Amino acid sequence: MKELQESDLKIGDILIYENQDFDINDFLELLSKSKEAAAFYLLVYLIPWFDPGDDPIHYKNIYHAAIWGNVNVNRDTKKPVENLNRIVEAGPDGIVQESMSETLIGPGVKNIYVYRLKEQDAEFEQKINAEIRSFYDDTDIPYSYETAWLLAVICSMRYSSGTLYKMLASKFTPWIADLMVETIQKLINEYNNNHQRKMVACSTLVAMIYKNANYALEIDDAVRNEPMQIPFSTEEINMEPIATSLTDKNIPKVTTTETVVTPRQLFESVSVKEVGYLPYKGK
């Protein structure tokens, strides 16, 4: 993969963060000071643990997504408007901007992978940046911890070794479990379409920006056969299958654009292509 410089970035590029390895000592230290801080530290590892991708043995701690945009860096001050190219992201402080140079020396970044929309028209950057600013300029938008935790649950359902999927499959048979997982995801995304400002987390923000600019990303939400990184035993669950077939398999499906998605689902999208990465610059 090509190593990039900040100058290689273009407006609308999707930034996918790989975290440093989980450190139990850091977690325990945070726990002794703040349960909320410890919970957030754990959350950013739950998503990659539960959604390791095609190679769970050598999986990467993909935990965060952001977008490259041009926004007013003086938004929170009384200084004149100064629009600069910056990382725009959702975090504990809401939707904020960060410089790339400062981010790459931070403790939570190992690499930042860059993905770009394959099919761009002449108005792409203008349209995508208008949506970036629409979210960024609304300082009343909170970070949705509920949505972030929901992502951890949703991504665990994508894997046949996930506990939730196993429970559904053992109760109803795999094909019905697949249908139920798909339906649950569609219903969640339908709700999100009408409540975007209440469901802002890192990757949902990026997906909503693309959707609202009319460049919705094609998302793959199929259940995978690879084992999850963190295994759970379901041997104690004793459920007899209660359904093996349905008379009418033409169950109506909810049709909606998926925006409640994990960072991994963003870069797995067939709508984007890999550009390269920016490596950690810290000690």
Side-chain angles (χ1 to χ4, degrees):
M1 185 181 293
K2 179 182 178 182
E3 183 173 332
L4 303 175
Q5 303 296 322
E6 181 177 330
S7 58
D8 296 315
L9 299 179
K10 295 183 178 181
I11 299 298
D13 280 352
I14 297 172
L15 310 175
I16 302 296
Y17 288 53
E18 178 186 4
N19 204 356
Q20 301 288 349
D21 293 339
F22 179 82
D23 190 318
I24 186 63
N25 293 321
D26 287 346
F27 173 71
L28 293 176
E29 182 178 352
L30 285 172
L31 188 62
S32 67
K33 297 177 180 178
S34 168
K35 291 182 179 179
E36 182 177 345
F40 190 79
Y41 179 82
L42 181 60
L43 172 61
V44 300
Y45 287 97
L46 282 178
I47 292 177
W49 286 346
F50 286 179
D51 195 16
D54 293 327
D55 188 1
I57 303 301
H58 304 100
Y59 85 108
K60 297 176 180 177
N61 281 313
I62 301 298
Y63 77 104
H64 183 60
I67 193 166
W68 190 247
N70 183 272
V71 295
N72 177 21
V73 296
N74 294 333
R75 180 194 65 179
D76 302 322
T77 72
K78 295 181 180 180
K79 297 179 181 179
V81 172
E82 183 180 6
N83 292 319
L84 297 175
N85 290 355
R86 285 289 191 271
I87 297 169
V88 178
E89 60 185 347
D93 296 322
I95 300 174
V96 300
Q97 59 82 23
E98 302 286 352
S99 75
M100 181 61 74
S101 58
E102 292 178 353
T103 298
L104 288 174
I105 61 173
V109 176
K110 186 173 184 179
N111 289 298
I112 295 180
Y113 302 98
V114 181
Y115 293 82
R116 186 170 293 158
L117 189 69
K118 293 178 181 176
E119 302 294 333
Q120 297 187 17
D121 55 33
E123 298 179 321
F124 171 75
E125 289 195 11
Q126 182 272 325
K127 287 183 177 179
I128 206 78
N129 204 64
E131 293 302 328
I132 291 172
R133 289 181 177 178
S134 175
F135 278 98
Y136 174 77
D137 290 339
D138 188 346
T139 56
D140 291 329
I141 298 177
Y143 182 82
S144 174
Y145 286 94
E146 295 84 357
T147 300
W149 286 104
L150 178 64
L151 287 175
V153 174
I154 289 175
C155 63
S156 74
M157 297 172 71
R158 298 176 66 205
Y159 295 81
S160 58
S161 61
T163 299
L164 291 175
Y165 182 85
K166 278 187 174 181
M167 291 175 67
L168 291 173
S170 64
K171 187 75 172 178
F172 298 105
T173 72
W175 80 263
I176 295 181
D178 291 344
L179 178 62
M180 293 177 72
V181 168
E182 179 183 358
T183 301
I184 289 169
Q185 290 176 318
K186 297 299 183 185
L187 289 172
I188 289 171
N189 281 282
E190 182 181 42
Y191 178 85
N192 172 259
N193 283 340
N194 298 314
H195 302 85
Q196 287 189 348
R197 260 54 177 177
K198 296 181 179 179
M199 299 183 69
V200 170
C202 66
S203 49
T204 65
L205 173 64
V206 175
M208 290 187 293
I209 286 171
Y210 267 83
K211 172 187 176 296
N212 293 358
N214 293 320
Y215 299 100
L217 301 174
E218 184 176 339
I219 299 299
D220 179 13
D221 58 3
V223 176
R224 298 178 176 276
N225 293 319
E226 289 79 4
M228 293 166 61
Q229 175 67 12
I230 306 298
F232 292 90
S233 174
T234 57
E235 294 180 356
E236 70 279 5
I237 300 176
N238 185 18
M239 292 183 177
E240 293 296 329
I242 64 173
T244 57
S245 64
L246 292 180
T247 303
D248 181 9
K249 294 186 180 182
N250 297 316
I251 299 175
K253 295 184 178 181
V254 178
T255 302
T256 186
T257 301
E258 292 197 48
T259 49
V260 182
V261 296
T262 67
R264 181 174 294 280
Q265 284 177 294
L266 288 177
F267 76 77
E268 284 180 348
S269 170
V270 296
S271 304
V272 304
K273 61 182 178 181
E274 178 185 285
V275 178
Y277 76 102
L278 297 115
Y280 177 59
K281 302 291 187 181
K283 58 182 180 180

